[in-house]
mmCIF file of all heavy atoms in Angstrom:
data_model
loop_
_atom_site.group_PDB
_atom_site.id
_atom_site.type_symbol
_atom_site.label_atom_id
_atom_site.label_comp_id
_atom_site.label_asym_id
_atom_site.label_seq_id
_atom_site.Cartn_x
_atom_site.Cartn_y
_atom_site.Cartn_z
ATOM 1 N N ALA P 11 15.121 -5.741 3.292
ATOM 2 C CA ALA P 11 14.123 -4.858 3.902
ATOM 3 C C ALA P 11 14.235 -3.444 3.319
ATOM 4 O O ALA P 11 15.325 -2.908 3.241
ATOM 5 C CB ALA P 11 14.306 -4.832 5.416
ATOM 6 N N PRO P 12 13.113 -2.854 2.937
ATOM 7 C CA PRO P 12 13.139 -1.522 2.328
ATOM 8 C C PRO P 12 13.078 -0.409 3.358
ATOM 9 O O PRO P 12 12.634 -0.587 4.492
ATOM 10 C CB PRO P 12 11.866 -1.523 1.470
ATOM 11 C CG PRO P 12 10.904 -2.342 2.294
ATOM 12 C CD PRO P 12 11.735 -3.414 2.957
ATOM 13 N N ASP P 13 13.543 0.757 2.962
ATOM 14 C CA ASP P 13 13.340 1.959 3.749
ATOM 15 C C ASP P 13 12.042 2.639 3.366
ATOM 16 O O ASP P 13 11.473 3.410 4.158
ATOM 17 C CB ASP P 13 14.509 2.925 3.543
ATOM 18 C CG ASP P 13 15.823 2.329 3.995
ATOM 19 O OD1 ASP P 13 16.019 2.194 5.198
ATOM 20 O OD2 ASP P 13 16.647 1.986 3.114
ATOM 21 N N ALA P 14 11.578 2.381 2.149
ATOM 22 C CA ALA P 14 10.330 2.965 1.662
ATOM 23 C C ALA P 14 9.752 2.025 0.605
ATOM 24 O O ALA P 14 10.463 1.265 -0.022
ATOM 25 C CB ALA P 14 10.562 4.359 1.077
ATOM 26 N N VAL P 15 8.433 2.116 0.446
ATOM 27 C CA VAL P 15 7.734 1.266 -0.532
ATOM 28 C C VAL P 15 6.752 2.127 -1.305
ATOM 29 O O VAL P 15 6.022 2.935 -0.720
ATOM 30 C CB VAL P 15 6.970 0.095 0.141
ATOM 31 C CG1 VAL P 15 6.208 -0.723 -0.889
ATOM 32 C CG2 VAL P 15 7.906 -0.781 0.951
ATOM 33 N N PHE P 16 6.725 1.935 -2.624
ATOM 34 C CA PHE P 16 5.703 2.544 -3.467
ATOM 35 C C PHE P 16 4.921 1.431 -4.132
ATOM 36 O O PHE P 16 5.503 0.529 -4.740
ATOM 37 C CB PHE P 16 6.317 3.437 -4.535
ATOM 38 C CG PHE P 16 5.315 3.927 -5.552
ATOM 39 C CD1 PHE P 16 4.203 4.647 -5.155
ATOM 40 C CD2 PHE P 16 5.475 3.642 -6.902
ATOM 41 C CE1 PHE P 16 3.264 5.096 -6.089
ATOM 42 C CE2 PHE P 16 4.549 4.080 -7.839
ATOM 43 C CZ PHE P 16 3.452 4.815 -7.428
ATOM 44 N N VAL P 17 3.611 1.486 -4.005
ATOM 45 C CA VAL P 17 2.740 0.526 -4.683
ATOM 46 C C VAL P 17 2.006 1.282 -5.784
ATOM 47 O O VAL P 17 1.074 2.030 -5.523
ATOM 48 C CB VAL P 17 1.737 -0.122 -3.704
ATOM 49 C CG1 VAL P 17 0.914 -1.193 -4.434
ATOM 50 C CG2 VAL P 17 2.467 -0.754 -2.522
ATOM 51 N N GLY P 18 2.480 1.097 -6.999
ATOM 52 C CA GLY P 18 1.867 1.776 -8.129
ATOM 53 C C GLY P 18 0.842 0.956 -8.853
ATOM 54 O O GLY P 18 -0.033 1.482 -9.554
ATOM 55 N N GLY P 19 0.930 -0.370 -8.695
ATOM 56 C CA GLY P 19 -0.036 -1.264 -9.307
ATOM 57 C C GLY P 19 -0.291 -2.432 -8.376
ATOM 58 O O GLY P 19 0.587 -2.828 -7.608
ATOM 59 N N GLY P 20 -1.500 -2.982 -8.435
ATOM 60 C CA GLY P 20 -1.800 -4.145 -7.615
ATOM 61 C C GLY P 20 -2.287 -3.815 -6.222
ATOM 62 O O GLY P 20 -2.240 -4.683 -5.328
ATOM 63 N N VAL P 21 -2.794 -2.594 -6.006
ATOM 64 C CA VAL P 21 -3.277 -2.214 -4.675
ATOM 65 C C VAL P 21 -4.385 -3.135 -4.205
ATOM 66 O O VAL P 21 -4.490 -3.470 -3.015
ATOM 67 C CB VAL P 21 -3.756 -0.740 -4.694
ATOM 68 C CG1 VAL P 21 -4.606 -0.421 -3.483
ATOM 69 C CG2 VAL P 21 -2.573 0.192 -4.762
ATOM 70 N N THR P 22 -5.228 -3.589 -5.155
ATOM 71 C CA THR P 22 -6.372 -4.434 -4.755
ATOM 72 C C THR P 22 -6.032 -5.921 -4.661
ATOM 73 O O THR P 22 -6.862 -6.701 -4.223
ATOM 74 C CB THR P 22 -7.522 -4.263 -5.775
ATOM 75 O OG1 THR P 22 -7.045 -4.638 -7.086
ATOM 76 C CG2 THR P 22 -8.000 -2.836 -5.816
ATOM 77 N N ALA P 23 -4.827 -6.312 -5.056
ATOM 78 C CA ALA P 23 -4.434 -7.718 -4.964
ATOM 79 C C ALA P 23 -4.346 -8.127 -3.503
ATOM 80 O O ALA P 23 -3.748 -7.413 -2.682
ATOM 81 C CB ALA P 23 -3.096 -7.947 -5.652
ATOM 82 N N PRO P 24 -4.929 -9.256 -3.128
ATOM 83 C CA PRO P 24 -4.922 -9.672 -1.725
ATOM 84 C C PRO P 24 -3.516 -9.779 -1.153
ATOM 85 O O PRO P 24 -2.645 -10.395 -1.765
ATOM 86 C CB PRO P 24 -5.609 -11.049 -1.778
ATOM 87 C CG PRO P 24 -6.440 -11.020 -3.012
ATOM 88 C CD PRO P 24 -5.662 -10.199 -4.004
ATOM 89 N N GLY P 25 -3.332 -9.161 -0.011
ATOM 90 C CA GLY P 25 -2.074 -9.302 0.717
ATOM 91 C C GLY P 25 -0.965 -8.334 0.324
ATOM 92 O O GLY P 25 0.065 -8.311 1.002
ATOM 93 N N VAL P 26 -1.134 -7.536 -0.711
ATOM 94 C CA VAL P 26 -0.040 -6.680 -1.157
ATOM 95 C C VAL P 26 0.253 -5.566 -0.163
ATOM 96 O O VAL P 26 1.383 -5.398 0.321
ATOM 97 C CB VAL P 26 -0.321 -6.090 -2.557
ATOM 98 C CG1 VAL P 26 0.689 -4.988 -2.888
ATOM 99 C CG2 VAL P 26 -0.243 -7.186 -3.606
ATOM 100 N N LEU P 27 -0.767 -4.767 0.197
ATOM 101 C CA LEU P 27 -0.528 -3.693 1.148
ATOM 102 C C LEU P 27 -0.074 -4.194 2.513
ATOM 103 O O LEU P 27 0.871 -3.638 3.089
ATOM 104 C CB LEU P 27 -1.793 -2.817 1.281
ATOM 105 C CG LEU P 27 -2.073 -1.854 0.117
ATOM 106 C CD1 LEU P 27 -3.332 -1.050 0.414
ATOM 107 C CD2 LEU P 27 -0.906 -0.904 -0.110
ATOM 108 N N PRO P 28 -0.693 -5.264 3.061
ATOM 109 C CA PRO P 28 -0.198 -5.785 4.347
ATOM 110 C C PRO P 28 1.265 -6.236 4.273
ATOM 111 O O PRO P 28 2.042 -5.988 5.203
ATOM 112 C CB PRO P 28 -1.137 -6.962 4.633
ATOM 113 C CG PRO P 28 -2.399 -6.615 3.934
ATOM 114 C CD PRO P 28 -1.964 -5.930 2.686
ATOM 115 N N ALA P 29 1.652 -6.909 3.186
ATOM 116 C CA ALA P 29 3.038 -7.384 3.073
ATOM 117 C C ALA P 29 4.006 -6.210 2.996
ATOM 118 O O ALA P 29 5.094 -6.245 3.597
ATOM 119 C CB ALA P 29 3.187 -8.266 1.839
ATOM 120 N N CYS P 30 3.640 -5.166 2.291
ATOM 121 C CA CYS P 30 4.501 -3.994 2.184
ATOM 122 C C CYS P 30 4.618 -3.283 3.521
ATOM 123 O O CYS P 30 5.706 -2.851 3.936
ATOM 124 C CB CYS P 30 3.975 -3.046 1.117
ATOM 125 S SG CYS P 30 4.090 -3.694 -0.569
ATOM 126 N N TRP P 31 3.506 -3.163 4.231
ATOM 127 C CA TRP P 31 3.520 -2.526 5.546
ATOM 128 C C TRP P 31 4.409 -3.309 6.513
ATOM 129 O O TRP P 31 5.222 -2.727 7.235
ATOM 130 C CB TRP P 31 2.079 -2.425 6.082
ATOM 131 C CG TRP P 31 2.006 -1.903 7.488
ATOM 132 C CD1 TRP P 31 1.910 -2.639 8.635
ATOM 133 C CD2 TRP P 31 2.068 -0.540 7.898
ATOM 134 N NE1 TRP P 31 1.895 -1.822 9.742
ATOM 135 C CE2 TRP P 31 1.987 -0.531 9.309
ATOM 136 C CE3 TRP P 31 2.184 0.668 7.206
ATOM 137 C CZ2 TRP P 31 2.008 0.663 10.047
ATOM 138 C CZ3 TRP P 31 2.205 1.844 7.939
ATOM 139 C CH2 TRP P 31 2.124 1.837 9.344
ATOM 140 N N ASP P 32 4.247 -4.625 6.543
ATOM 141 C CA ASP P 32 5.005 -5.459 7.490
ATOM 142 C C ASP P 32 6.512 -5.402 7.208
ATOM 143 O O ASP P 32 7.319 -5.570 8.121
ATOM 144 C CB ASP P 32 4.531 -6.910 7.415
ATOM 145 C CG ASP P 32 3.125 -7.089 7.984
ATOM 146 O OD1 ASP P 32 2.646 -6.179 8.693
ATOM 147 O OD2 ASP P 32 2.501 -8.140 7.712
ATOM 148 N N ALA P 33 6.894 -5.185 5.943
ATOM 149 C CA ALA P 33 8.316 -5.163 5.580
ATOM 150 C C ALA P 33 9.036 -3.913 6.067
ATOM 151 O O ALA P 33 10.253 -3.921 6.206
ATOM 152 C CB ALA P 33 8.463 -5.279 4.065
ATOM 153 N N LEU P 34 8.276 -2.875 6.361
ATOM 154 C CA LEU P 34 8.894 -1.602 6.748
ATOM 155 C C LEU P 34 9.282 -1.594 8.212
ATOM 156 O O LEU P 34 8.574 -2.140 9.084
ATOM 157 C CB LEU P 34 7.921 -0.436 6.490
ATOM 158 C CG LEU P 34 7.683 -0.037 5.031
ATOM 159 C CD1 LEU P 34 6.544 0.955 4.945
ATOM 160 C CD2 LEU P 34 8.958 0.550 4.418
ATOM 161 N N GLY P 35 10.405 -0.959 8.508
ATOM 162 C CA GLY P 35 10.821 -0.720 9.886
ATOM 163 C C GLY P 35 10.343 0.628 10.360
ATOM 164 O O GLY P 35 9.662 1.376 9.638
ATOM 165 N N GLU P 36 10.729 0.976 11.574
ATOM 166 C CA GLU P 36 10.371 2.259 12.133
ATOM 167 C C GLU P 36 10.894 3.386 11.256
ATOM 168 O O GLU P 36 12.041 3.378 10.831
ATOM 169 C CB GLU P 36 10.975 2.392 13.537
ATOM 170 C CG GLU P 36 10.698 3.714 14.215
ATOM 171 C CD GLU P 36 11.408 3.820 15.541
ATOM 172 O OE1 GLU P 36 11.806 2.773 16.096
ATOM 173 O OE2 GLU P 36 11.578 4.958 16.036
ATOM 174 N N GLY P 37 10.025 4.343 10.940
ATOM 175 C CA GLY P 37 10.398 5.458 10.100
ATOM 176 C C GLY P 37 10.257 5.170 8.612
ATOM 177 O O GLY P 37 10.482 6.049 7.782
ATOM 178 N N GLY P 38 9.857 3.935 8.265
ATOM 179 C CA GLY P 38 9.659 3.597 6.858
ATOM 180 C C GLY P 38 8.467 4.310 6.275
ATOM 181 O O GLY P 38 7.478 4.594 6.976
ATOM 182 N N ARG P 39 8.547 4.617 5.004
ATOM 183 C CA ARG P 39 7.472 5.346 4.324
ATOM 184 C C ARG P 39 6.813 4.453 3.295
ATOM 185 O O ARG P 39 7.470 3.694 2.592
ATOM 186 C CB ARG P 39 8.022 6.589 3.603
ATOM 187 C CG ARG P 39 8.463 7.697 4.522
ATOM 188 C CD ARG P 39 9.890 7.540 4.988
ATOM 189 N NE ARG P 39 10.853 7.683 3.899
ATOM 190 C CZ ARG P 39 12.096 7.243 3.964
ATOM 191 N NH1 ARG P 39 12.541 6.578 5.018
ATOM 192 N NH2 ARG P 39 12.922 7.434 2.955
ATOM 193 N N LEU P 40 5.475 4.553 3.224
ATOM 194 C CA LEU P 40 4.717 3.788 2.231
ATOM 195 C C LEU P 40 3.799 4.756 1.495
ATOM 196 O O LEU P 40 3.094 5.555 2.117
ATOM 197 C CB LEU P 40 3.899 2.690 2.898
ATOM 198 C CG LEU P 40 3.269 1.613 1.980
ATOM 199 C CD1 LEU P 40 3.016 0.319 2.764
ATOM 200 C CD2 LEU P 40 1.970 2.079 1.356
ATOM 201 N N VAL P 41 3.841 4.685 0.171
ATOM 202 C CA VAL P 41 2.958 5.475 -0.674
ATOM 203 C C VAL P 41 2.294 4.536 -1.665
ATOM 204 O O VAL P 41 2.971 3.690 -2.264
ATOM 205 C CB VAL P 41 3.724 6.595 -1.443
ATOM 206 C CG1 VAL P 41 2.766 7.368 -2.349
ATOM 207 C CG2 VAL P 41 4.424 7.533 -0.475
ATOM 208 N N ALA P 42 0.979 4.653 -1.796
ATOM 209 C CA ALA P 42 0.250 3.779 -2.727
ATOM 210 C C ALA P 42 -0.739 4.627 -3.515
ATOM 211 O O ALA P 42 -1.403 5.504 -2.959
ATOM 212 C CB ALA P 42 -0.488 2.672 -1.971
ATOM 213 N N ASN P 43 -0.827 4.347 -4.810
ATOM 214 C CA ASN P 43 -1.738 5.070 -5.707
ATOM 215 C C ASN P 43 -2.844 4.141 -6.219
ATOM 216 O O ASN P 43 -2.618 2.934 -6.408
ATOM 217 C CB ASN P 43 -0.978 5.613 -6.920
ATOM 218 C CG ASN P 43 -0.132 6.827 -6.581
ATOM 219 O OD1 ASN P 43 -0.142 7.302 -5.459
ATOM 220 N ND2 ASN P 43 0.586 7.324 -7.567
ATOM 221 N N GLY P 44 -3.994 4.718 -6.485
ATOM 222 C CA GLY P 44 -5.093 3.972 -7.105
ATOM 223 C C GLY P 44 -5.926 4.886 -7.969
ATOM 224 O O GLY P 44 -6.086 6.077 -7.658
ATOM 225 N N VAL P 45 -6.498 4.330 -9.041
ATOM 226 C CA VAL P 45 -7.340 5.131 -9.951
ATOM 227 C C VAL P 45 -8.739 4.547 -10.081
ATOM 228 O O VAL P 45 -9.590 5.158 -10.724
ATOM 229 C CB VAL P 45 -6.685 5.284 -11.353
ATOM 230 C CG1 VAL P 45 -5.395 6.060 -11.259
ATOM 231 C CG2 VAL P 45 -6.464 3.941 -11.999
ATOM 232 N N THR P 46 -8.992 3.377 -9.505
ATOM 233 C CA THR P 46 -10.320 2.765 -9.589
ATOM 234 C C THR P 46 -11.050 2.922 -8.261
ATOM 235 O O THR P 46 -10.446 3.188 -7.225
ATOM 236 C CB THR P 46 -10.212 1.268 -9.939
ATOM 237 O OG1 THR P 46 -9.570 0.566 -8.829
ATOM 238 C CG2 THR P 46 -9.378 1.053 -11.200
ATOM 239 N N VAL P 47 -12.357 2.719 -8.294
ATOM 240 C CA VAL P 47 -13.155 2.788 -7.069
ATOM 241 C C VAL P 47 -12.699 1.727 -6.079
ATOM 242 O O VAL P 47 -12.580 1.974 -4.872
ATOM 243 C CB VAL P 47 -14.656 2.609 -7.402
ATOM 244 C CG1 VAL P 47 -15.474 2.468 -6.145
ATOM 245 C CG2 VAL P 47 -15.157 3.779 -8.242
ATOM 246 N N GLN P 48 -12.415 0.526 -6.617
ATOM 247 C CA GLN P 48 -11.995 -0.580 -5.746
ATOM 248 C C GLN P 48 -10.640 -0.263 -5.062
ATOM 249 O O GLN P 48 -10.452 -0.526 -3.875
ATOM 250 C CB GLN P 48 -11.884 -1.880 -6.543
ATOM 251 C CG GLN P 48 -13.220 -2.419 -7.025
ATOM 252 C CD GLN P 48 -13.777 -1.682 -8.239
ATOM 253 O OE1 GLN P 48 -13.065 -0.882 -8.865
ATOM 254 N NE2 GLN P 48 -15.037 -1.936 -8.562
ATOM 255 N N ALA P 49 -9.714 0.309 -5.835
ATOM 256 C CA ALA P 49 -8.429 0.672 -5.263
ATOM 257 C C ALA P 49 -8.590 1.771 -4.215
ATOM 258 O O ALA P 49 -7.944 1.744 -3.149
ATOM 259 C CB ALA P 49 -7.472 1.115 -6.364
ATOM 260 N N GLU P 50 -9.465 2.729 -4.489
ATOM 261 C CA GLU P 50 -9.720 3.795 -3.542
ATOM 262 C C GLU P 50 -10.279 3.255 -2.225
ATOM 263 O O GLU P 50 -9.910 3.710 -1.138
ATOM 264 C CB GLU P 50 -10.681 4.814 -4.145
ATOM 265 C CG GLU P 50 -10.836 6.079 -3.321
ATOM 266 C CD GLU P 50 -11.660 7.129 -4.028
ATOM 267 O OE1 GLU P 50 -12.904 7.025 -3.958
ATOM 268 O OE2 GLU P 50 -11.072 8.020 -4.671
ATOM 269 N N GLN P 51 -11.145 2.236 -2.315
ATOM 270 C CA GLN P 51 -11.692 1.623 -1.113
ATOM 271 C C GLN P 51 -10.598 0.957 -0.276
ATOM 272 O O GLN P 51 -10.578 1.070 0.948
ATOM 273 C CB GLN P 51 -12.772 0.608 -1.503
ATOM 274 C CG GLN P 51 -14.022 1.241 -2.073
ATOM 275 C CD GLN P 51 -14.991 0.222 -2.663
ATOM 276 O OE1 GLN P 51 -14.608 -0.923 -2.943
ATOM 277 N NE2 GLN P 51 -16.228 0.635 -2.849
ATOM 278 N N GLU P 52 -9.665 0.276 -0.958
ATOM 279 C CA GLU P 52 -8.550 -0.355 -0.250
ATOM 280 C C GLU P 52 -7.690 0.682 0.450
ATOM 281 O O GLU P 52 -7.253 0.510 1.603
ATOM 282 C CB GLU P 52 -7.678 -1.174 -1.224
ATOM 283 C CG GLU P 52 -8.317 -2.452 -1.719
ATOM 284 C CD GLU P 52 -8.521 -3.469 -0.603
ATOM 285 O OE1 GLU P 52 -7.688 -3.484 0.344
ATOM 286 O OE2 GLU P 52 -9.503 -4.225 -0.666
ATOM 287 N N LEU P 53 -7.418 1.768 -0.242
ATOM 288 C CA LEU P 53 -6.587 2.818 0.331
ATOM 289 C C LEU P 53 -7.300 3.494 1.505
ATOM 290 O O LEU P 53 -6.661 3.852 2.511
ATOM 291 C CB LEU P 53 -6.210 3.837 -0.718
ATOM 292 C CG LEU P 53 -5.355 3.294 -1.889
ATOM 293 C CD1 LEU P 53 -5.072 4.416 -2.895
ATOM 294 C CD2 LEU P 53 -4.058 2.718 -1.373
ATOM 295 N N ALA P 54 -8.610 3.662 1.402
ATOM 296 C CA ALA P 54 -9.375 4.257 2.500
ATOM 297 C C ALA P 54 -9.347 3.352 3.734
ATOM 298 O O ALA P 54 -9.229 3.828 4.874
ATOM 299 C CB ALA P 54 -10.814 4.506 2.060
ATOM 300 N N ARG P 55 -9.443 2.028 3.515
ATOM 301 C CA ARG P 55 -9.356 1.108 4.649
ATOM 302 C C ARG P 55 -7.975 1.162 5.306
ATOM 303 O O ARG P 55 -7.851 1.143 6.538
ATOM 304 C CB ARG P 55 -9.656 -0.334 4.169
ATOM 305 C CG ARG P 55 -11.134 -0.643 4.058
ATOM 306 C CD ARG P 55 -11.355 -2.134 3.905
ATOM 307 N NE ARG P 55 -11.018 -2.601 2.581
ATOM 308 C CZ ARG P 55 -11.871 -2.663 1.562
ATOM 309 N NH1 ARG P 55 -13.144 -2.293 1.736
ATOM 310 N NH2 ARG P 55 -11.495 -3.107 0.379
#
């Protein structure tokens, strides 16, 4: 289990952001980057 997660690639891949979120415990930090319109939409959601 991680204390923090960075998603630098694959933001739009199905299930990646939910799996990373679920792996974090209380106080865990998640940062995700995107450069495409589709990735930006996922991050906005």
